Amino acid sequence: MTTGRAPTRTGPWPYAAWALTRAWLLACAFKVVTVAGPDVTVDVSVIYRGWYEVLLTGTYPLDDVTWQYPPGAALAVLSPALLPFWEYATAFFVLVLVCDALVLGLLLYAGRRPGMRAAGAWVWVVGVPLLGPTVYARYDLMVTAVAVAALLAGVRRPRALGALAAFGALLKGWPALLLVGVRKGRPTRAAWSSAALTGAGLAAAFALWMPGAFAFLAFQRDRGTEIESLGALVFHIARQFGWEGRVELRYGSMEFVGPQVELVSTLALGLAVLALGWLLLWRLRARLFSVRTPAEAAFTAVLLFTVTSRVISPQYVVWLVGLAAVCLVFRGTAMTLPSVLVLVAAGVTLLEFPIGFGHVVASDAWGVTLLVVRNGLLAAASLIAARRLWRSTVPGRPGAEAVPGAAEGQPSRVAR
């Protein structure tokens, strides 16, 4: 794609900022620096390590309801075996750091292409540390690295996008949404067929590898309303007026238990169905695809499903930071404002977890305020992103028209 702009020169600043902020994250992970609130590294040193020991016996954790991940998650949990000279948690943190660096490298490399820019790399440099040590104490950053690689590869290679999206989906489900914005016609056929073949092959391999590959489906089905979700705000507020429910540790997270919780969980599922319906309608109506549409559609889709989920764990926000970073690699993206809102939400998330998690559990004024602000920012970002995606791709918007015979991989719309 020719744009008339010279490639972006970034200089050493992104690398320096990345090194400083990641040194702080590692210091937090290794407890050299202490962040207020619960110890977020326990998930790695205790839970992941326990799963690691079970997986080494040749089976998935069939008796552990906290195992709620697709079979590919076993690769992330087993990955510290690549560094056997270090203790499990140390090896895990180092591998997450490597994935973090890989994402930065991909974004900077993409930003040097004509028509691209370094803004996406800066979103990643700034956004990840805003989430605090939790981002290094979960495997979600690894999954995000796969998603970023998929979208950037998909600019020129739809089949690579499909294969990587399928692999990511078998790690944690949500990367399947990367396929929603692929340009119609031959790119869609290439990406979706590649995803289907890769997904089917890997799923079969995991099922044959160890028993219990899909036991996680039952555990996910039985989850309730987690206290950080949008729907949970109903009960946080209701507790101020004498609601008789309580907070319990269930399925690996703090959930509300009590009257009407099942109803709110069902409504959340209904909202997710509505979000899916909107995405299908958008897919049917969209005609004006551009080179950045797959990234913008993926960002919008993941925002919608995150907001409507029964669970909004802090580490979910790193998905959004990664997708926002890819969107901002492209000049002229419509997702600048939603991306900024996600970055602010990331900072509020750190205040909510781990720093203020005791206030959230207690549903006191500070905890409820943090949740209202964080979830409100994410909800606003999802609605703005959906509106902008629709206006930039669906015919009939004033100021846009289709470009006849636009070359594959190049913009298929212009503004008058």
Side-chain angles (χ1 to χ4, degrees):
M1 180 174 61
T2 301
T3 65
R5 293 179 182 268
T8 302
R9 296 184 182 277
T10 58
W13 301 114
Y15 304 100
W18 182 88
L20 287 173
T21 54
R22 275 41 177 195
W24 176 74
L25 285 177
L26 284 176
C28 294
F30 288 117
K31 301 179 184 178
V32 176
V33 175
T34 302
V35 175
D39 181 6
V40 300
T41 65
V42 170
D43 276 45
V44 176
S45 59
V46 177
I47 298 176
Y48 284 19
R49 179 58 192 255
W51 292 339
Y52 175 84
E53 298 293 344
V54 173
L55 290 166
L56 288 179
T57 68
T59 181
Y60 284 90
L62 300 178
D63 300 322
D64 188 348
V65 295
T66 63
W67 176 262
Q68 299 168 14
Y69 308 108
L75 299 178
V77 174
L78 290 170
S79 63
L82 297 171
L83 304 174
F85 41 83
W86 278 330
E87 186 270 334
Y88 182 88
T90 300
F92 185 88
F93 298 145
V94 170
L95 289 171
V96 174
L97 177 70
V98 170
C99 291
D100 188 350
L102 175 63
V103 173
L104 177 67
L106 289 172
L107 292 168
L108 287 172
Y109 177 79
R112 288 193 288 268
R113 296 175 183 171
M116 307 291 204
R117 57 181 181 171
W122 279 110
V123 169
W124 184 253
V125 168
V126 173
V128 170
L130 285 176
L131 288 166
T134 305
V135 77
Y136 269 28
R138 307 290 187 271
Y139 82 93
D140 294 80
L141 193 147
M142 296 176 173
V143 184
T144 303
V146 175
V148 170
L151 288 172
L152 293 177
V155 171
R156 297 178 180 176
R157 299 177 180 85
R159 291 188 185 280
L161 167 59
L164 287 169
F167 175 59
L170 284 166
L171 288 172
K172 202 160 187 179
W174 66 267
L177 295 171
L178 304 181
L179 298 169
V180 72
V182 180
R183 188 181 173 206
K184 294 179 180 179
R186 188 171 63 182
T188 288
R189 291 193 295 272
W192 290 16
S193 61
S194 175
L197 290 172
T198 303
L202 288 176
F206 284 123
L208 293 171
W209 179 30
M210 288 188 293
F214 296 96
F216 76 98
L217 293 172
F219 302 151
Q220 275 286 357
R221 178 196 62 205
D222 296 335
R223 294 194 74 165
T225 297
E226 190 256 349
I227 65 171
E228 297 165 281
S229 65
L230 186 64
L233 287 171
V234 173
F235 302 112
H236 283 294
I237 295 172
R239 291 177 91 180
Q240 317 305 314
F241 299 94
W243 180 67
E244 297 179 354
R246 62 191 182 279
V247 174
E248 286 186 3
L249 179 62
R250 301 176 74 244
Y251 298 97
S253 64
M254 303 301 288
E255 295 184 357
F256 278 116
V257 177
Q260 308 306 317
V261 172
E262 186 174 349
L263 173 62
V264 170
S265 297
T266 302
L267 290 175
L269 289 174
L271 287 175
V273 171
L274 288 176
L276 176 61
W278 183 89
L279 283 171
L280 292 174
L281 178 62
W282 169 79
R283 178 74 191 179
L284 290 172
R285 295 286 303 278
R287 293 290 183 275
L288 311 178
F289 286 72
S290 75
V291 69
R292 62 179 181 265
T293 300
E296 295 181 341
F299 179 53
T300 302
V302 176
L303 265 170
L304 289 171
F305 280 100
T306 298
V307 169
T308 58
S309 174
R310 293 172 293 173
V311 179
I312 307 182
S313 295
Q315 63 269 23
Y316 291 11
V317 182
V318 75
W319 314 344
L320 302 173
V321 171
L323 297 180
V326 177
C327 288
L328 266 69
V329 164
F330 300 99
R331 295 186 186 275
T333 180
M335 297 297 158
T336 300
L337 178 56
S339 298
V340 171
L341 294 177
V342 164
L343 289 179
V344 178
V348 178
T349 298
L350 174 59
L351 296 177
E352 174 262 312
F353 184 90
I355 294 174
F357 196 59
H359 297 281
V360 174
V361 173
S363 300
D364 65 21
W366 179 236
V368 173
T369 299
L370 288 173
L371 282 182
V372 167
V373 173
R374 196 280 300 270
N375 291 347
L377 286 166
L378 293 180
S382 66
L383 293 174
I384 294 169
R387 181 173 181 269
R388 292 187 173 191
L389 178 67
W390 185 279
R391 293 188 64 190
S392 66
T393 56
V394 175
R397 180 175 69 86
E401 60 183 5
V403 179
E408 181 178 335
Q410 294 187 352
S412 56
R413 63 178 178 83
V414 295
R416 284 200 291 262

